[in-house]
Amino acid sequence: MLQISVGLLVAAIAILFHLGHSPSVQAIDLPPNAGTQWHQASFPVENFQAYTSPFGYRSDPYGGDQRFHYGLDMAAPSGSYIRSWWGGQVIEVSDDSSCGTSVVVQSGNWMHIYCHMQGYVTQEGGDRYMLDNAGGLRIREGQLVDTGMRIGRIGMTGRTTGPHLHWGLKYSENWVDPALVLRAMYSSQQAAVGR
């Protein structure tokens, strides 16, 4: 499993370095020692194809004006599975915003947001669930998820121009450029393999 994730990260980071963007001044740096255990983290997209929009200011695909993009867009074929970057608790499932069908996971000070997934949100017996019956997924608000657990599938819900995952990250309520996290993961995983 580690070899597969390292291989995916090698390909992903190579593409990322060719995007040529620099983090916005609104993004915080990674906290001290944040990457020391990230060799255990999971790359969030199976069948990853390309990064399609970086974190930071960009030309809005719907109007052309400059807007801040609070995540990293990761393209993959529709129906590809999305994995939890890190273990934690699902604090929100939603399907009523421009984020489309989404899951938010809290891992200590980290919050990771997954948008534009297939499926829908329903309420059963007082609990809220994200359901994707075709993908065999039933994610409950409040449930614990493990690192690498499948929590959704690539879709086109919400405000999107193509199938991708919009992956957002916050540390202590401050937005973080996911590209910085992927670079730290790559370094940490390379160090772990080299031991």
Side-chain angles (χ1 to χ4, degrees):
M1 182 69 166
L2 180 60
Q3 288 177 327
I4 292 170
S5 63
V6 169
L8 286 173
L9 281 174
V10 168
I13 297 301
I15 294 168
L16 184 64
F17 282 123
H18 288 96
L19 286 177
H21 79 281
S22 58
S24 164
V25 294
Q26 293 187 15
I28 65 165
D29 288 330
L30 295 180
N33 302 319
T36 56
Q37 296 181 345
W38 284 1
H39 62 277
Q40 299 171 18
S42 177
F43 190 76
V45 177
E46 293 183 17
N47 304 314
F48 169 80
Q49 292 178 323
Y51 296 101
T52 54
S53 190
F55 180 90
Y57 283 99
R58 68 171 184 177
S59 179
D60 184 84
Y62 287 94
D65 53 331
Q66 290 290 307
R67 290 194 176 180
F68 200 87
H69 184 234
Y70 292 94
L72 178 63
D73 289 351
M74 308 167 82
S78 185
S80 298
Y81 282 97
I82 296 166
R83 295 180 177 270
S84 181
W85 163 70
W86 201 260
Q89 183 173 29
V90 175
I91 60 169
E92 182 182 8
V93 294
S94 178
D95 64 357
D96 59 357
S97 72
S98 61
C99 192
T101 301
S102 61
V103 171
V104 180
V105 178
Q106 186 79 44
S107 305
N109 290 329
W110 288 95
M111 181 186 295
H112 25 130
I113 301 126
Y114 306 84
C115 300
H116 308 307
M117 301 189 308
Q118 294 190 23
Y120 61 96
V121 172
T122 188
Q123 188 148 343
E124 298 176 12
D127 290 323
R128 288 173 52 86
Y129 292 88
M130 187 287 291
L131 297 179
D132 176 0
N133 295 324
L137 296 168
R138 180 180 175 91
I139 306 296
R140 180 181 54 82
E141 242 178 32
Q143 89 175 65
L144 298 178
V145 295
D146 292 328
T147 302
M149 178 178 164
R150 288 176 167 174
I151 58 170
R153 291 189 308 144
I154 298 288
M156 284 190 58
T157 59
R159 193 169 179 253
T160 180
T161 59
H164 72 280
L165 168 66
H166 170 93
W167 184 41
L169 288 175
K170 282 185 169 184
Y171 181 81
S172 296
E173 296 302 316
N174 294 296
W175 290 103
V176 175
D177 183 347
L180 298 176
V181 170
L182 291 178
R183 287 180 182 132
M185 284 171 56
Y186 174 74
S187 296
S188 179
Q189 290 183 0
Q190 286 297 301
V193 170
R195 287 184 192 153

